[in-house]
Amino acid sequence: MKEFEAVLFDFDGVIVDSEIVHFECWQEILEPFEITLTWDYYTRNCIGVSDRAMIRTLISLREPPVDFDRVYALYPAKKERFRARMMESPRADESTIELLRQLSGYKKAVVTSSGRAEVEPILRQLGIADLFDAAVYGEDVAALKPSPEPYLKAAEKLGITRALVVEDSAAGRESGRAAGFEVIEIEQPSGVAERVRARLGI
């Protein structure tokens, strides 16, 4: 019996190198509010958390804080800006795409806090959407990462109990472990294939 029945992948920062694009889009959205967002602050506080929670953190960077609703009203524009840039130039490591094609003996799922409208078109643009057996998007769960719900939902969809989770954020790693799964920590999307192959022995 295989140690793992499935490999569950986060999207941003794992399947695609998109965090820098998210960061740049947020910088542009926040500029009219005179909120300065640095890459260091973004990587430490904004990756893997819900966008509502992120906005609440960001508006507190200015004194006095900006009204939440004013910033949140621009969230759809941020999502569309991100989608357009990623569709124009998808950023995925070829080694990761090759890994996904070769993991035929394992069920595979995308588990992300981002919305379907942001993620699914990019997966299709990259030609890898059909390589996954299931997907869990932000709107599919009541509680986002670090809650275990997203990974438990993926396991339910796949009908499995033993999974290897591939994550880049603290919230994502906490989510996977709380769901009872082993988690591989990824620092750069370019390292996904090597880390997963090493753990699976393939």
Side-chain angles (χ1 to χ4, degrees), residues 96-123:
T96 301
I97 294 176
E98 185 62 23
L99 171 71
L100 291 169
R101 293 193 176 115
Q102 292 177 349
L103 286 178
S104 56
Y106 298 87
K107 293 183 178 181
K108 299 178 290 295
V110 178
V111 184
T112 176
S113 294
S114 296
R116 179 186 297 270
E118 286 180 279
V119 175
E120 196 171 71
I122 298 169
L123 293 175

Side-chain angles (χ1 to χ4, degrees), residues 56-115:
R56 293 194 186 283
T57 299
L58 294 175
I59 61 177
S60 67
L61 293 176
R62 207 192 77 167
E63 187 59 44
V66 182
D67 179 69
F68 174 87
D69 290 336
R70 289 180 62 202
V71 178
Y72 192 71
L74 296 177
Y75 181 46
K78 180 268 170 186
K79 289 196 292 184
E80 177 54 31
R81 194 173 298 196
F82 170 80
R83 189 198 65 79
R85 291 183 188 178
M86 288 296 293
M87 289 293 286
E88 180 180 335
S89 180
R91 303 157 60 102
D93 197 277
E94 281 299 323
S95 65
T96 301
I97 294 176
E98 185 62 23
L99 171 71
L100 291 169
R101 293 193 176 115
Q102 292 177 349
L103 286 178
S104 56
Y106 298 87
K107 293 183 178 181
K108 299 178 290 295
V110 178
V111 184
T112 176
S113 294
S114 296

Side-chain angles (χ1 to χ4, degrees), residues 14-181:
V14 174
I15 295 174
V16 292
D17 187 7
S18 57
E19 292 297 357
I20 189 64
V21 182
H22 279 296
F23 167 70
E24 291 169 351
C25 291
W26 275 118
Q27 272 191 318
E28 294 163 12
I29 291 296
L30 295 170
E31 186 177 6
F33 299 100
E34 299 181 340
I35 297 174
T36 301
L37 178 62
T38 66
W39 176 245
D40 180 64
Y41 185 90
Y42 178 83
T43 56
R44 284 188 291 108
N45 299 281
C46 302
I47 294 178
V49 302
S50 73
D51 288 293
R52 291 184 72 90
M54 175 186 169
I55 292 171
R56 293 194 186 283
T57 299
L58 294 175
I59 61 177
S60 67
L61 293 176
R62 207 192 77 167
E63 187 59 44
V66 182
D67 179 69
F68 174 87
D69 290 336
R70 289 180 62 202
V71 178
Y72 192 71
L74 296 177
Y75 181 46
K78 180 268 170 186
K79 289 196 292 184
E80 177 54 31
R81 194 173 298 196
F82 170 80
R83 189 198 65 79
R85 291 183 188 178
M86 288 296 293
M87 289 293 286
E88 180 180 335
S89 180
R91 303 157 60 102
D93 197 277
E94 281 299 323
S95 65
T96 301
I97 294 176
E98 185 62 23
L99 171 71
L100 291 169
R101 293 193 176 115
Q102 292 177 349
L103 286 178
S104 56
Y106 298 87
K107 293 183 178 181
K108 299 178 290 295
V110 178
V111 184
T112 176
S113 294
S114 296
R116 179 186 297 270
E118 286 180 279
V119 175
E120 196 171 71
I122 298 169
L123 293 175
R124 297 203 176 282
Q125 179 81 344
L126 290 166
I128 60 176
D130 293 339
L131 298 179
F132 294 97
D133 303 288
V136 175
Y137 301 102
E139 60 264 38
D140 295 333
V141 294
L144 300 175
K145 304 170 187 178
S147 163
E149 185 180 353
Y151 282 106
L152 292 174
K153 183 79 169 180
E156 179 186 352
K157 283 189 170 189
L158 294 174
I160 57 95
T161 58
R162 305 186 312 279
L164 181 65
V165 168
V166 189
E167 271 284 357
D168 70 318
S169 70
R173 294 192 294 273
E174 183 179 341
S175 174
R177 291 183 182 121
F181 303 134

Side-chain angles (χ1 to χ4, degrees), residues 7-8 11 60 73 79 148 157 181 189 194 196:
V7 184
L8 312 180
F11 180 71
S60 67
K79 289 196 292 184
K157 283 189 170 189
F181 303 134
E194 181 180 359
V196 172

